Every structure is written in structure tokens, then in C-alpha cells.
Amino acid sequence: HVDLLESGGGSVQAGGSLKLSCEVSGKYWRDIRYCLAWFRQGPGEDRDGREAVATIFTDFANDERRFYADTVKGRFSISHDNAKNTLYLVMNSLKPEDAGMYYCAAGAGTRCNPPGVRFMDAWGKGTQVTISS
């Protein structure tokens, strides 16, 4: 069972930057690669409407493929610190449409480019990102 805890959300002006963090803890299968992902849920959307904005495929020792949604390519960067077991999302040149609740999620052995909401095994509680124009 993997536990996830996000932090780093907040309010920023359009064009600004934020860095989100997600502490990964608990037990996970050592021989299975996990998809670690950041999802965005926009205002008025439900859980099924969450969009994977960035993902990384990892076995917690070696990070492999990364995926970015077209809407964030060139502006967002996902990384995983294996020593700290923390997932990060650096968001630059933020736009009003980037606003929403950002969730960290993990899926064991699932597709990661992008992953489906229903195939993720663990979710954090989310961190709010507000962008003013």
C-alpha cells in the first residue's frame, strides 16, 4: 500500500511558477515498475475528469520514461528523487487554464503515457493551484 502526500500548491499570477512535491511512503512491490503521476482536476470536474499532466515510470531506483500532456509540454517538468522518495512537478509559465486541484497518484504496472484515472492504485489528497490573470 502506497501513501502519497502532496504539498506546494498556492496562488500565483499568470506567468509565474510553482513547485509541487509528493512524498511517497508505505509498501510497494520491489519487482514492479510504478507509474507516478500528477493529475489535474479542473473546477467543476469530477474524479473521472482528472487529466494526467505529467508522469514518470519508475521502479523507485531507476526512472524511465516520462510523459507530458500537450498542454504542459515545455512548461512543466516532472522528477523523482529516489533518495528522498519524493515526486516533484515544476510548473513554469503558468496559465489560468492550469488552475485546479493537483493530485499525486501511483499505479503498479499500469500504462503511463498517459495513465487512466481508474488504473491508479493510490492517490494523495490533492493540493490547490490558483492562477490569477
Side-chain angles (χ1 to χ4, degrees), residues 10-96:
S11 183
V12 65
Q13 285 191 326
S17 299
L18 280 174
K19 182 178 182 178
L20 306 184
S21 300
C22 174
E23 295 179 28
V24 183
S25 61
K27 296 183 178 181
Y28 46 86
W29 297 102
R30 294 189 179 277
D31 296 329
I32 295 177
R33 287 172 174 78
Y34 281 75
C35 177
L36 300 181
W38 287 99
F39 282 79
R40 185 187 74 87
Q41 182 171 340
E45 294 179 346
D46 61 18
R47 180 188 174 99
D48 286 340
R50 293 177 183 175
E51 175 195 21
V53 297
T55 73
I56 193 165
F57 201 48
T58 182
D59 62 1
F60 294 100
N62 301 290
D63 297 334
E64 298 181 12
R65 299 182 298 275
R66 287 170 171 79
F67 162 86
Y68 295 98
D70 288 342
T71 53
V72 306
K73 277 181 183 175
R75 300 187 297 120
F76 289 15
S77 178
I78 188 171
S79 62
H80 178 242
D81 186 323
N82 292 320
K84 295 181 179 179
N85 221 0
T86 301
L87 183 71
Y88 301 102
L89 182 68
V90 174
M91 306 185 293
N92 296 318
S93 302
L94 283 163
K95 303 176 181 180

